[in-house]
Amino acid sequence: MQTELSKKLGVEHAIFGFTPFPAVAAAISRAGGFGVLGAVRYTAPDDLKRDLDWVEAHVDGRPYGLDVVMPTKKVEGVTEADVEAMIPEGHRQFVKDTLAKYGVPELAEGEAAGWRITGWMEQVARTQLDVAFDYPIKLLANALGSPPADVVARAHDRGVLVAALAGSARHARKHQEAGIDIVVAQGYEAGGHTGEIASMVLTPEVVEAVDPLPVLAAGGIGSGQQVAAALSLGAQGVWLGSIWLTTTEADMHSPGLTAKLLAAGSGDTVRSRALTGKPARQLRTEWTDAWDDPNGPGTLPMPLQGLLVAEAVSRIQKYEVAPLLGTPVGQIVGRMNSERSVQAVLDDLTRGFERAVDRINRIAGRSGQ
């Protein structure tokens, strides 16, 4: 399962695994894939340094990368407090009323919300990069388009490849013009922020649009057969995120949420603005239903929505309030029906890939060659 890109990065399999969990990222790299640690939750540089130290010590010398959420356009002089002040009181009351309806307890006095969408702020992302570039990362990925030009140049000066996610061929071409090295074509089926074009359509469109740049296919991929399909469409690898959420290495801190993921079918997700203000695929819950209800106040634009619901999400997760409990996840959740190790997932992907290639070879009359 090697491609020109995987060989360039020195990995055995062209499987790139995005995850917020250091243990999962390290396990992906050890298993022959390429682990990518998501940095958006690290608002304190020392916390990111601690976890990168851990990853570096547990990848057995294998390559790994970092994923940030960094806007291309810079907004000068805007603080988090400035943004908080823009949130309407009616929306704050809607959050209070919804939590009260389901009996969600308050956080303990002095306890801060453990979940904040602040990584979108450029100054936060830049502090993450100041830490990350002290480590031998091989890839920097950005989930909000192309990073600023000086960040791309800084990465290239250190021999770090830069990737950016795209939901359309038009976005992909903009990445190419910005000097990006790898385009991740993320289809509609994907978890988290995603566009409106399905992977089967999007992948070959992006491959053609940015040729000869390498493309990774993302969205709805969780089997070796799907990996083979992605490569046959011209991708040089796959970018997987959701599939790792139910691995034994994932530190979910929520047995209830893990149980909901294991029980969910592929139709149990929704593309909603409830979490961040931008369309993001996640488990459908009574929380997402409340925000998507036309009789409600509606969601706020990013980043207001993320700041508005930060404490509420922390409370829902801490107390595992089942009707409201959810997480970003793709439609591939329908295949995530048992807890397995990262190594077991990689083994399943490689075996499925081999079976798919053998089947195509038989159809083409090349069996045994």
Side-chain angles (χ1 to χ4, degrees):
M1 211 190 298
Q2 283 198 331
T3 64
E4 183 180 344
L5 178 60
S6 66
K7 292 176 182 177
K8 183 176 182 177
L9 287 168
V11 296
E12 183 179 357
H13 305 301
I15 295 173
F16 294 73
F18 163 79
T19 174
F21 306 117
V24 175
I28 292 168
S29 290
R30 287 199 309 272
F34 189 98
V36 181
L37 179 65
V40 70
R41 66 191 180 95
Y42 294 98
T43 56
D46 287 347
D47 290 344
L48 179 58
K49 183 180 186 304
R50 177 201 64 217
D51 282 357
L52 284 176
D53 282 340
W54 192 94
V55 171
E56 179 67 20
H58 290 84
V59 293
D60 295 345
R62 306 290 182 91
Y64 62 94
L66 191 76
D67 179 278
V68 297
V69 178
M70 192 172 197
T72 303
K73 297 180 180 179
K74 186 174 182 177
V75 180
E76 298 282 0
V78 177
T79 67
E80 184 176 337
D82 294 332
V83 178
E84 288 266 16
M86 301 177 190
I87 298 173
E89 185 56 37
H91 282 73
R92 295 187 188 278
Q93 189 61 49
F94 181 76
V95 170
K96 293 178 183 177
D97 292 344
T98 304
L99 295 178
K101 176 181 176 181
Y102 291 92
V104 182
E106 298 275 357
L107 295 176
E109 185 175 351
E111 182 178 1
W115 183 91
R116 300 286 284 175
I117 293 293
T118 53
W120 58 269
M121 299 182 74
E122 181 168 344
Q123 63 265 35
V124 175
R126 286 187 179 275
T127 61
Q128 294 167 351
L129 295 177
D130 289 340
V131 172
F133 284 138
D134 286 337
Y135 293 82
I137 61 171
K138 299 298 183 184
L139 176 70
L140 174 67
N142 190 41
L144 280 184
S146 306
D150 68 296
V151 172
V152 176
R154 190 178 174 190
H156 287 167
D157 287 345
R158 289 164 172 75
V160 177
L161 297 180
V162 181
L165 275 65
S168 70
R170 178 174 61 85
H171 291 154
R173 282 189 287 267
K174 287 184 177 180
H175 296 337
Q176 186 178 38
E177 293 166 1
I180 298 303
D181 305 293
I182 303 166
V183 175
V184 181
Q186 180 168 288
Y188 172 81
E189 309 95 326
H193 295 137
T194 185
E196 299 181 350
I197 305 173
S199 299
M200 184 63 76
V201 174
L202 180 65
T203 300
E205 283 187 354
V206 171
V207 168
E208 182 177 345
V210 301
D211 183 61
L213 281 188
V215 173
L216 300 177
I221 301 173
S223 72
Q225 292 88 337
Q226 290 170 308
V227 176
L231 299 189
S232 73
L233 293 173
Q236 288 204 29
V238 293
W239 178 273
L240 309 182
S242 298
I243 197 72
W244 316 110
L245 290 174
T246 52
T247 56
T248 53
E249 293 89 346
D251 193 9
M252 293 289 284
H253 294 298
S254 175
L257 182 53
T258 298
K260 288 188 77 170
L261 289 169
L262 295 174
S266 56
D268 292 328
T269 69
V270 63
R271 192 165 161 268
S272 171
R273 298 177 184 268
L275 189 61
T276 68
K278 290 186 68 175
R281 186 170 297 284
Q282 54 203 279
L283 279 179
R284 181 176 181 177
T285 67
E286 293 185 33
W287 177 257
T288 62
D289 285 349
W291 282 105
D292 295 338
D293 188 335
N295 295 318
T299 56
L300 297 169
M302 188 180 191
L304 301 180
Q305 182 72 15
L307 292 172
L308 169 66
V309 305
E311 181 181 324
V313 171
S314 291
R315 290 165 59 184
I316 292 166
Q317 291 178 345
K318 176 178 179 177
Y319 299 110
E320 297 200 83
V321 183
L324 306 179
L325 191 60
T327 186
V329 69
Q331 291 179 330
I332 197 62
V333 70
R335 291 185 62 93
M336 296 157 49
N337 49 26
S338 65
E339 291 188 75
R340 298 179 292 165
S341 68
V342 166
Q343 182 67 63
V345 173
L346 259 293
D347 289 345
D348 183 60
L349 290 169
T350 54
R351 285 194 297 265
F353 176 83
E354 291 169 357
R355 288 194 298 270
V357 171
D358 287 345
R359 184 163 56 247
I360 294 301
N361 281 334
R362 288 196 300 272
I363 293 172
R366 293 195 297 267
S367 181
Q369 295 184 14

